Amino acid sequence: MQLAQQQLAPLQLQVLEGWTSALFQLPAHFAGQTLAAQLRANDQTLGAARSIQLPVAAPASEHTLYIGSCLQKLGWFGREPILASIVADARQQPNPAMLWLGDHLYFTPDDLSQAGAMCRAYQRQRQHAALAELLTAMPNYAIWDDHDFGLNDADSSAPSAKLSAQVFSLMWANPPSGTPYFALQLGQVRLLFTDNRSARRGRSVPAYQRQLFGEAQLAWLHQQVQQRDVAHTLLLGGSQWWVGAPGEEGWSHAAVEQQRWRERLLQQPPASRLLYMSGDRHHSAEFTRQFDQEVVHELTTSALTSPPDPEQTGYGATQLRQFYAENNYLRVQIRGAALSWQWFGANGQPLGPVTTR
């Protein structure tokens, strides 16, 4: 890539059925600049040059996260101002990053027929100007849920599972990890991006066989939460972790696996404060849930543009602190060892108070 007269080699290059993606790390002295970027291969220019406005330099102890899910059918619902609102706020914040918690693309059966069709679905969506600006305004990290893994409620048996993993890796600049799940540390916060689809066994199997994550990923998660170099650990998932909604997807349907996780934490407690985050429900909520010996804390944030759902099904066993049934996003601010969050509506207006821990 040629960027401001400087040639940059990719850290990672992937090719899939004629589609290519490259991961670049930009020099720190470019922070705050607006640059023209041009892709080249074999001395040939690829496409038009693009203007990229980079975030300004900020202390490494300060970060701002924008978190959302469910980006359905851009252009259908007229709710795209939310993407511009995120970008406008991010321009004013230190070290911004966008975290996508699944369903940022809704595949159709035709899309899932081959890798090229899946890539074209991404390409069509990313031609939308508001999304294109957001994707170039700051780092973007993503996990999937059912609709960008396969069809509705897709699990490990989905015929498209292998292709979905290859295309997802191609389309998102997540840190290379060798698995769809990965960790990222920002200051005093560790982010654990989980994969709740590749090993998922859903309601089509007996209850004792159901799982969202599988043993290998749970062991990795437990190892990660034992690290003592951060004050907070955020566990990011597509489906809700601790709500028991019969008609909705969530970890409550894999109660045996969920119980094993709780037992692990009781036997060897985490070294930092845990905060669970999820998407999927087309509404946002903050809630806690009391178990025998511990309290879990979860933030669900949805939906960016998909139609909101006001139903509060499944929250009966929780203490519901906040609830928003409109298009929204969550902003999380990291300031040293302090963590705070607040929800915002489609036009950038605050929906509730700032919560700090």
Side-chain angles (χ1 to χ4, degrees), residues 84-125:
S85 297
I86 292 173
V87 172
D89 190 75
R91 302 283 192 214
Q92 312 301 319
Q93 301 294 336
N95 292 323
M98 180 74 193
L99 312 185
W100 301 85
L101 300 191
D103 291 346
H104 13 75
L105 184 72
Y106 284 63
F107 282 130
T108 68
D110 289 341
D111 294 331
L112 297 170
S113 61
Q114 56 182 334
M118 298 168 76
C119 290
R120 285 190 292 273
Y122 272 102
Q123 183 184 51
R124 288 192 299 270
Q125 186 188 54

Side-chain angles (χ1 to χ4, degrees), residues 30 39 95 127 141 163 175 189 203 221 224 230 238 240-241 264 282 321 325:
F30 283 160
L39 290 175
N95 292 323
Q127 288 173 343
Y141 306 102
L163 279 181
V189 175
R203 286 171 280 185
L221 282 172
Q224 289 290 324
V230 294
Q240 287 183 311
W241 298 80
R264 283 178 188 258
H282 292 204
R321 298 183 176 184

Side-chain angles (χ1 to χ4, degrees), residues 187-220:
Q188 284 291 308
V189 175
R190 174 170 283 103
L191 307 171
L192 302 181
F193 295 79
T194 66
D195 168 19
N196 67 359
R197 294 290 160 182
S198 297
R200 190 185 195 111
R201 293 198 297 262
R203 286 171 280 185
S204 62
V205 302
Y208 71 92
Q209 294 181 348
R210 297 172 190 169
Q211 62 181 33
L212 263 65
F213 303 106
E215 182 57 31
Q217 188 174 181
L218 284 186
W220 173 82

Side-chain angles (χ1 to χ4, degrees), residues 309-327:
D309 181 2
E311 292 295 327
Q312 297 186 10
T313 307
Y315 291 101
T318 73
Q319 180 183 354
L320 191 58
R321 298 183 176 184
Q322 300 186 66
F323 186 90
Y324 305 108
E326 59 184 275
N327 292 120

Side-chain angles (χ1 to χ4, degrees), residues 70-256:
C70 305
L71 188 73
Q72 186 177 17
K73 301 293 185 183
L74 284 177
W76 279 33
F77 303 115
R79 299 188 176 103
E80 287 72 28
I82 193 170
L83 304 182
S85 297
I86 292 173
V87 172
D89 190 75
R91 302 283 192 214
Q92 312 301 319
Q93 301 294 336
N95 292 323
M98 180 74 193
L99 312 185
W100 301 85
L101 300 191
D103 291 346
H104 13 75
L105 184 72
Y106 284 63
F107 282 130
T108 68
D110 289 341
D111 294 331
L112 297 170
S113 61
Q114 56 182 334
M118 298 168 76
C119 290
R120 285 190 292 273
Y122 272 102
Q123 183 184 51
R124 288 192 299 270
Q125 186 188 54
R126 292 181 177 186
Q127 288 173 343
H128 193 287
L131 178 58
E133 183 178 16
L134 191 157
L135 291 172
T136 57
M138 67 192 97
N140 286 251
Y141 306 102
I143 58 175
W144 54 26
D145 204 28
D146 51 346
H147 292 287
D148 38 10
F149 177 77
L151 297 178
N152 190 47
D153 295 351
D155 60 17
S156 59
S157 66
S160 60
K162 183 177 180 179
L163 279 181
S164 294
Q166 294 172 328
V167 171
F168 197 85
S169 177
L170 194 76
M171 291 295 168
W172 292 100
N174 291 332
S177 68
T179 65
Y181 52 88
F182 61 95
L184 181 68
Q185 184 170 335
L186 299 177
Q188 284 291 308
V189 175
R190 174 170 283 103
L191 307 171
L192 302 181
F193 295 79
T194 66
D195 168 19
N196 67 359
R197 294 290 160 182
S198 297
R200 190 185 195 111
R201 293 198 297 262
R203 286 171 280 185
S204 62
V205 302
Y208 71 92
Q209 294 181 348
R210 297 172 190 169
Q211 62 181 33
L212 263 65
F213 303 106
E215 182 57 31
Q217 188 174 181
L218 284 186
W220 173 82
L221 282 172
H222 194 234
Q223 183 271 331
Q224 289 290 324
V225 303
Q226 303 305 314
Q227 303 300 313
R228 299 183 178 277
D229 54 348
V230 294
H232 307 273
T233 299
L234 309 186
L235 293 91
L236 309 169
S239 302
Q240 287 183 311
W241 298 80
W242 301 109
V243 167
E248 301 288 344
E249 290 197 298
W251 211 7
S252 62
H253 297 298
V256 174

Side-chain angles (χ1 to χ4, degrees), residues 4-86:
Q5 307 305 313
Q6 182 173 340
Q7 298 288 339
L8 297 178
L11 296 177
Q12 176 178 285
L13 187 68
Q14 298 183 74
V15 179
L16 178 65
E17 295 187 11
W19 295 77
T20 304
S21 73
L23 179 64
F24 295 90
Q25 183 170 343
L26 305 185
H29 65 266
F30 283 160
Q33 299 184 40
T34 299
L35 305 173
Q38 175 68 66
L39 290 175
R40 298 179 62 87
N42 300 322
D43 295 324
Q44 298 294 317
T45 297
L46 302 179
R50 299 194 62 173
S51 177
I52 302 176
Q53 183 178 344
L54 300 178
V56 299
S61 61
E62 299 183 3
H63 297 266
T64 307
L65 309 179
Y66 298 87
I67 307 178
S69 64
C70 305
L71 188 73
Q72 186 177 17
K73 301 293 185 183
L74 284 177
W76 279 33
F77 303 115
R79 299 188 176 103
E80 287 72 28
I82 193 170
L83 304 182
S85 297
I86 292 173

